[in-house]
Amino acid sequence: MEAHIITITYHDCATQYGLSEADIREFVDLGLLQNAPDVPNALREEPLHVARLARLHHDLGLSKDSLEVVLAMRQRLEQVQQELRQQRARVQQLELFLRGSGPLLDVNFR
């Protein structure tokens, strides 16, 4: 899945996502958001990430310090889900290979 990245000023980001510019600066200082390298007072981020951050902070009332933990857990969950999809695909390939290369033995362990 390809991420859609935008460049947005702090002011526009604050207006669009209901954050203050001070919140945005703190998120940048904490490493939760990334500054745009070529535009002053602007972010270069995925809109869904900014929206998620704002939602966690406002709707759930999470402190800025706890946001890092929640986002790290979410990232790890996504990695585990990707690994699970890969393993399922490997199992499916193996099952297809085994079915196509000879009869499967039904072994019951009793």
Side-chain angles (χ1 to χ4, degrees), residues 68-85:
E68 185 175 6
V69 174
V70 170
L71 293 173
M73 287 178 11
R74 182 182 183 282
Q75 182 178 22
R76 180 63 183 134
L77 177 61
E78 287 176 346
Q79 289 172 341
V80 169
Q81 289 173 333
Q82 176 62 28
E83 291 169 8
L84 179 60
R85 284 190 293 273

Side-chain angles (χ1 to χ4, degrees), residues 27-95:
F27 292 153
V28 169
D29 290 343
L30 291 169
L32 300 173
L33 294 174
Q34 300 300 314
N35 275 320
D38 50 348
V39 181
N41 295 317
L43 300 172
R44 183 159 168 76
E45 273 296 344
E46 181 182 357
L48 291 175
H49 176 68
V50 180
R52 182 178 303 112
L53 195 60
R55 191 174 55 248
L56 289 170
H57 182 58
H58 287 298
D59 295 351
L60 297 179
L62 295 178
S63 71
K64 292 176 178 96
D65 294 329
S66 61
L67 291 173
E68 185 175 6
V69 174
V70 170
L71 293 173
M73 287 178 11
R74 182 182 183 282
Q75 182 178 22
R76 180 63 183 134
L77 177 61
E78 287 176 346
Q79 289 172 341
V80 169
Q81 289 173 333
Q82 176 62 28
E83 291 169 8
L84 179 60
R85 284 190 293 273
Q86 290 172 340
Q87 291 302 324
R88 283 181 175 164
R90 291 181 71 200
V91 167
Q92 185 178 19
Q93 286 178 336
L94 182 59
E95 288 174 344

Side-chain angles (χ1 to χ4, degrees), residues 1-8 16-17 43-52:
M1 182 168 72
E2 190 175 318
H4 177 72
I5 305 294
I6 62 169
T7 299
I8 186 170
Q16 184 167 346
Y17 295 101
L43 300 172
R44 183 159 168 76
E45 273 296 344
E46 181 182 357
L48 291 175
H49 176 68
V50 180
R52 182 178 303 112

